[in-house]
Amino acid sequence: MEQPVFIAGLGVISAIGNTVAQNLLSLESGETGIAPIQYLDTEHRDEFPVGEVKSSNDELAELSGFKTVISRTAMLSLIAAKEALRDAGIENYANLRTGFISANTVGGMDKTEDFFRDFINDNTKGRLRNAINHECGAVTNLVADKLGIRNYVSTISTACSSSANAIMYGTRLIKNNLLDVVIAGGTDALTRFTLNGFNTLMILDKQPCQPFDANRRGLNLGEGAGYVVLVSERVAYSCSIKKEIYCSLSGYCNANDAYHQTASSPEGTGSLMAMEGALKRSGFQPADISYINLHGTGTQNNDSSEGAAISKLFAGHYPKMSSTKAFTGHTLGASGGIEAVYSALAVQKGMLYPNLRFETPMEGLPFTPETRFSKQPEIKHVLSNSFGFGGNCSSLIFSKL
Amino acid sequence: MDKLIADLKEQIIEQLNLQDVKPEDIGDDQPLFGDGLGLDSIDALELIVLLQQKYKVKLSNAENGPKIFRSVRTIAEFIEGYQNPNA
Amino acid sequence: MYIRAASNISPQNTFGNQPFLQELVEYTGNKLTCIEPDYKSLIDPKLIRRMSRIIKMGVATGMDCLQQAGIEAPDAIVTGTAYGCLEDTNTFLSKLVLQNEEALAPTAFIQSTHNTISAQIALLLQCHRYNNTFVNGGASFENALLDAMMLLNEGDADTVLAGGIDEITPTSHAILSRMGLYHWPTTSNLNLLDNPEKETMAGEGSAFFLLSNKASGNDLAKIDAISCFYKPVGLSEIEQRINDFLSAQNIIINDIDAIINGKNGDVINDRIYKQLEQSLFANKQTINYKHLCGEYPTSSAFALWLAANAISNGSFPSAISTTDTPLKRVLIYNHYQNIHHSLILLSAC
């Protein structure tokens, strides 16, 4: 009954590049995307470094084919989803049962914020076209329509684990024989809403973040989109796919920390359950994991919680690990998708990414993250973590073919 | 100080939407967090905003929070200390 | 998939131990709003203080559903909501604009995330299991049901708590009205579908269901199949989809005893249903429900509650239908703005 699911295509846009190739170049050269705010119109412009995609809305409109009035979230999504589809090279995907499962947390909020500026004092004011795609699902529909996908279109929103859950859901739709191909992942644009929201929680770093460092001060917000093209075994080995498959998605799990609305439990209960569950489903042991792409936001709370869970689960066989959020910032709804792309590349090409700006090990943790990019051809299985508000914890395992 | 303490109790009840609590239910020295009034980390952030909005007191280092917010009296003392640094 | 229990807060008297839609509640304003219970008896007061309306509605129906089913905690929690926590979003966004991004308080931001309802239920129950939230417009609830069905088939859960919830706030009503969704009302919701014009009424609600693949002997009804389709090209595609859906269950339209449809009183919206009444649904008993709960993206959750209870009781309430056909199979067909269409097939246990 359990049929394998493979990854046939990748697409990503983030603070470190507008394509997979550009992202890879930055990861290899250690060039961070964290920088002072350049595009977002905010009172906090000079206060917090962020991982912005280095393109204006006009430039993204050109890249995506959307008009500039369309939400930045949708533009990022289309750019990455198109790249993933093109990369998979499935010639006849319109004739297969193809779905689009996209996740986001902000929807069209970047435009709604502009609408509200006029609406708030007079509810007959404000340009409606800025509010019309506010809902998370509306952003997905805009992109699905451009991709020409109609079989199954859905949107998931579970805070920072959103796109990991989208990938999981897509995988299960294939395993349940409801779809053959699924473009799955997520997107989020930087908005005043999220920047100010996270600021009220006092977990933003005023300097470039240092995940898993003893002196970490918080996270840097980021934006972007990341998608994988999931295919069934039948499609993977048919003549529909002309190029090498990246890897299989061998394990996944969604668990809930159920500790607090925004904070993770000190023992990392939800994180532990998500990682354990993913391993159980994959049939592999902790010792089989070569690399963990950490959730690693750089907050005191997440990193200790995730660290505690890893200490327990991987005791005796700590794999190499790093947080790529030091490159991209925390891209919220897109993080699971972007990091899935990085994880698939890591397992296929045999690479480890550095945890930038790491200096001092956290007390009590029997491991430290990687500080250099390296080629590791013996990498067989990569674990990617995404843990969010509301206790939503998800882990994915990518395996070499 | 007494007036400030009385004011604070009302503000806290309003800011944190403590619907069934009256000012006289909160002791001046009663622990606010953990077992006392049962407030949590989100409430602590709300109190930081309250201090800024109503008393013009800015708490830039959240780590000092637990000490300052221990009880209504410690909050009042902090506000007075901030507003009259030379007293 | 068995519906072991169902709980519903809606603009009708549907929550708690009440006679099944015996008397309908009339609305003459421009929207239908929920009749809410006293939450203090259902939710810990220490937690209520932070919850906005929609979160209280969701948590109350979720907890009530579990109580009815006699379950302490489900094996999974899945929610569908198109707009999420609008009131909290509005509060935070308004303050952000009015206070020029200064001195903002965290609670509204934290509560505004779409997964808050699923998360709060998990927190209250200390449920560490699968937890998901769909935010997919008019198919959000159906996506949640499909996720539940897959979880049960995969053997990863024996029981799933699934819900659909959306609220209407003064702000969202003002904006959606400007967009042309809600126009000036008819004289009453009870006449909403009598003379279709360019108008429908806004609604809201929260309905949760405890689902299982194991019959308990006391289940309300069975969900045999669910299907959603996106932006169909025309009537013939819709008819094809409905026929394919039924034949995959080895039945034909004649095997259906009643069809609950999503007519909302707007002449353009209702055209599809009218066309189907001349073709595929000709001579079938059709039941309307949006005059009871109003139009909103997850209204199919209300329709499911209605269908499940009608099947369990053996008939629809007389205030809704006077036909006496024994209810063995009921089909729910609804579309939201002709974007997301859904089919849910239920049968008696």
Side-chain angles (χ1 to χ4, degrees):
Chain A
M1 193 233 140
E2 276 280 318
Q3 57 146 321
V5 171
F6 299 98
I7 292 177
L10 304 174
V12 70
I13 180 167
S14 75
I16 56 171
N18 290 357
T19 61
V20 171
Q22 287 176 13
N23 272 256
L24 211 45
L25 218 57
S26 303
L27 288 166
E28 218 170 320
S29 64
E31 192 167 327
T32 185
I34 308 294
I37 295 174
Q38 198 182 340
Y39 300 99
L40 183 68
D41 177 18
T42 168
E43 295 298 313
H44 299 289
R45 164 170 267 119
D46 300 318
E47 222 176 312
F48 301 111
V50 293
E52 266 177 322
V53 168
K54 308 295 182 278
S55 302
S56 65
N57 283 349
D58 285 339
E59 285 161 343
L60 290 178
E62 195 135 354
L63 276 173
S64 62
F66 273 134
K67 298 202 170 85
T68 330
V69 296
I70 295 294
S71 163
R72 190 176 172 90
T73 313
M75 294 199 273
L76 294 171
S77 174
L78 183 58
I79 291 166
K82 270 210 295 217
E83 184 185 19
L85 258 183
R86 231 185 348 249
D87 184 41
I90 305 171
E91 281 168 355
N92 61 336
Y93 78 84
N95 296 335
L96 297 167
R97 296 174 304 171
T98 303
F100 181 51
I101 314 294
S102 183
N104 66 70
T105 63
V106 297
M109 180 61 83
D110 60 318
K111 293 295 187 210
T112 314
E113 288 172 345
D114 292 341
F115 172 81
F116 245 70
R117 271 176 170 163
D118 299 319
F119 175 83
I120 192 95
N121 293 314
D122 179 348
N123 71 2
T124 63
K125 294 246 159 28
R127 305 196 74 165
L128 273 186
R129 70 178 189 194
N130 283 339
I132 200 151
N133 291 313
H134 168 77
E135 315 165 35
C136 299
V139 166
T140 304
N141 293 354
L142 284 168
V143 177
D145 291 347
K146 285 283 192 193
L147 297 175
I149 293 173
R150 281 206 304 123
N151 280 102
Y152 194 84
V153 175
S154 191
T155 318
I156 285 174
S157 193
T158 55
C160 316
S161 62
S162 295
S163 43
N165 282 332
I167 292 171
M168 212 179 299
Y169 189 64
T171 301
R172 289 166 57 226
L173 285 165
I174 293 175
K175 288 190 181 227
N176 278 277
N177 197 21
L178 293 167
L179 294 173
D180 306 305
V181 178
V182 182
I183 298 109
T187 175
D188 258 338
L190 199 57
T191 61
R192 287 188 288 283
F193 192 90
T194 39
L195 186 68
N196 281 281
F198 276 80
N199 193 24
T200 64
L201 298 173
M202 299 183 83
I203 51 175
L204 291 177
D205 193 343
K206 293 190 173 183
Q207 297 167 51
C209 64
Q210 292 184 266
F212 271 73
D213 190 285
N215 301 312
R216 60 198 185 283
R217 296 161 300 275
L219 62 92
N220 304 134
L221 282 174
E223 61 176 2
Y227 290 92
V228 300
V229 178
L230 301 159
V231 297
S232 65
E233 190 172 25
R234 189 174 63 84
V235 171
Y237 292 114
S238 72
C239 49
S240 297
I241 304 222
K242 306 262 182 259
K243 56 172 270 273
E244 205 184 314
I245 301 283
Y246 285 92
C247 58
S248 70
L249 189 73
S250 57
Y252 48 86
C253 183
N254 166 326
N256 198 286
D257 199 33
Y259 172 75
H260 184 270
Q261 246 177 300
T262 53
S264 306
S265 59
E267 325 71 45
T269 307
S271 318
L272 182 63
M273 291 180 74
M275 291 190 285
E276 259 175 351
L279 277 166
K280 186 164 172 222
R281 186 172 299 277
S282 69
F284 299 121
Q285 299 300 316
D288 297 319
I289 299 293
S290 322
Y291 167 63
I292 303 177
N293 184 287
L294 300 162
H295 184 58
T297 57
T299 62
Q300 281 293 320
N301 178 245
N302 175 78
D303 294 0
S304 347
S305 179
E306 188 176 7
I310 290 173
S311 296
K312 191 167 177 201
L313 184 58
F314 292 91
H317 345 261
Y318 297 112
K320 306 257 196 267
M321 60 188 89
S322 65
S323 167
T324 46
K325 291 185 172 72
F327 281 96
T328 58
H330 187 1
T331 55
L332 303 181
S335 58
I338 291 174
E339 289 157 26
V341 170
Y342 295 165
S343 299
L345 288 168
V347 83
Q348 194 221 24
K349 295 185 187 305
M351 301 181 307
L352 291 178
Y353 310 117
N355 194 110
L356 296 179
R357 297 183 293 278
F358 174 79
E359 285 166 357
T360 316
M362 280 165 64
E363 212 177 297
L365 283 193
F367 52 81
T368 55
E370 292 300 289
T371 50
R372 286 180 319 115
F373 178 91
S374 60
K375 291 259 161 73
Q376 305 279 333
E378 69 278 6
I379 288 181
K380 294 226 165 44
H381 309 286
V382 171
L383 172 75
S384 176
N385 288 337
S386 298
F387 307 139
F389 284 176
N392 280 113
C393 298
S394 293
S395 296
L396 303 172
I397 297 179
F398 302 82
S399 295
K400 203 176 180 77
L401 293 174
Chain B
M1 173 68 83
D2 282 345
K3 173 138 193 340
L4 178 57
I5 287 181
D7 269 347
L8 265 172
K9 288 181 185 177
E10 283 187 19
Q11 302 284 3
I12 288 170
I13 288 171
E14 198 189 312
Q15 183 86 359
L16 306 184
N17 200 23
L18 299 170
Q19 289 163 351
D20 293 324
V21 177
K22 295 191 223 38
E24 52 267 29
D25 296 332
I26 309 176
D28 295 2
D29 299 292
Q30 180 188 356
L32 294 173
F33 289 81
D35 287 329
L37 201 57
L39 305 185
D40 68 6
S41 55
I42 297 176
D43 295 310
L45 295 166
E46 288 281 345
L47 290 177
I48 291 174
V49 176
L50 172 69
L51 255 51
Q52 193 179 345
Q53 277 184 321
K54 293 275 176 341
Y55 299 98
K56 311 284 177 255
V57 169
K58 240 183 165 164
L59 189 74
S60 48
N61 193 351
E63 277 173 17
N64 292 334
K67 216 175 34 187
I68 295 163
F69 296 133
R70 196 152 23 95
S71 67
V72 181
R73 188 187 299 283
T74 54
I75 301 176
E77 284 168 353
F78 177 72
I79 293 171
E80 291 223 320
Y82 193 95
Q83 288 174 340
N84 305 302
N86 300 317
Chain C
M1 185 159 72
Y2 295 92
I3 301 176
R4 205 174 282 183
S7 182
N8 186 14
I9 290 176
S10 76
Q12 299 297 322
N13 284 309
T14 52
F15 187 77
N17 226 352
Q18 310 224 37
F20 180 37
L21 291 177
Q22 204 167 70
E23 269 173 46
L24 301 182
V25 180
E26 187 175 16
Y27 292 84
T28 52
N30 61 4
K31 54 181 172 304
L32 287 79
T33 48
C34 285
I35 298 172
E36 296 177 67
D38 174 18
Y39 293 112
K40 289 201 192 120
S41 59
L42 298 154
I43 309 169
D44 183 352
K46 274 212 221 60
L47 295 163
I48 284 187
R49 63 188 176 91
R50 216 171 257 161
M51 292 183 185
S52 58
R53 231 176 124 246
I54 192 174
I55 300 172
K56 284 188 275 206
M57 276 164 49
V59 171
T61 40
M63 303 300 271
D64 178 59
C65 187
L66 291 171
Q67 244 173 49
Q68 283 183 44
I71 299 230
E72 258 188 50
D75 295 334
I77 300 168
V78 193
T79 316
T81 175
Y83 294 121
C85 308
L86 280 174
E87 202 180 299
D88 294 300
T89 305
N90 184 43
T91 302
F92 193 75
L93 193 49
S94 304
K95 293 224 167 113
L96 194 154
V97 173
L98 291 170
Q99 290 169 206
N100 215 24
E101 301 180 60
E102 284 295 314
L104 297 168
T107 300
F109 172 70
I110 293 166
Q111 301 290 70
S112 73
T113 60
H114 293 75
N115 62 328
T116 299
I117 294 154
S118 288
Q120 284 278 246
I121 297 174
L123 190 57
L124 279 165
L125 300 173
Q126 288 294 285
C127 178
H128 292 290
R129 306 283 296 265
Y130 185 94
N131 192 295
N132 204 3
T133 302
F134 289 89
V135 291
N136 195 39
S140 306
F141 174 60
E142 289 81 347
N143 291 162
L145 283 183
L146 184 60
D147 196 4
M149 199 173 239
M150 290 202 298
L151 285 167
L152 293 169
N153 286 345
E154 287 158 353
D156 284 339
D158 284 335
T159 55
V160 181
L161 181 67
I165 176 166
D166 269 304
E167 62 172 338
I168 191 84
T169 64
T171 302
S172 66
H173 191 269
I175 297 172
L176 292 169
S177 298
R178 277 176 60 185
M179 286 183 192
L181 263 75
Y182 310 127
H183 293 265
W184 294 109
T186 52
T187 47
S188 138
N189 63 311
L190 301 179
N191 305 126
L192 185 67
L193 303 171
D194 291 348
N195 292 309
E197 296 180 50
K198 264 191 73 52
E199 52 194 71
T200 187
M201 291 171 84
E204 58 176 13
S206 168
F208 270 79
F209 304 85
L210 200 284
L211 305 165
S212 175
N213 264 358
K214 299 191 174 113
S216 71
N218 269 333
D219 302 307
L220 294 170
K222 269 190 304 165
I223 298 178
D224 295 326
I226 305 153
S227 170
C228 319
F229 50 101
Y230 176 72
K231 292 190 178 172
V233 173
L235 180 67
S236 53
E237 183 182 337
I238 297 171
E239 285 173 334
Q240 185 67 51
R241 296 266 190 184
I242 297 173
N243 278 327
D244 289 347
F245 176 73
L246 296 176
S247 60
Q249 300 303 309
N250 294 319
I251 58 176
I252 51 173
I253 196 73
N254 270 348
D255 298 319
I256 304 291
D257 300 308
I259 299 169
I260 298 179
N261 75 52
K263 272 193 200 152
N264 70 8
D266 177 295
V267 66
I268 297 176
N269 181 84
D270 291 354
R271 197 174 289 153
I272 294 171
Y273 303 107
K274 288 249 135 70
Q275 288 170 324
L276 285 169
E277 274 167 6
Q278 310 297 323
S279 61
L280 203 53
F281 295 167
N283 305 318
K284 302 304 300 183
Q285 183 194 177
T286 52
I287 308 283
N288 304 311
Y289 73 93
K290 286 185 185 172
H291 59 297
L292 305 173
C293 62
E295 174 69 290
Y296 59 102
T298 44
S299 74
S300 48
F302 183 100
L304 185 65
W305 173 87
L306 177 63
N309 280 286
I311 289 176
S312 174
N313 278 3
S315 63
F316 287 95
S318 53
I320 297 180
S321 163
T322 47
T323 320
D324 250 334
T325 332
L327 293 175
K328 284 223 273 305
R329 281 198 191 86
V330 174
L331 176 69
I332 302 172
Y333 167 61
N334 178 42
H335 74 84
Y336 188 73
Q337 301 184 314
N338 201 9
I339 297 174
H340 288 289
H341 292 239
S342 63
L343 293 157
I344 307 175
L345 179 67
L346 293 101
S347 59
C349 296

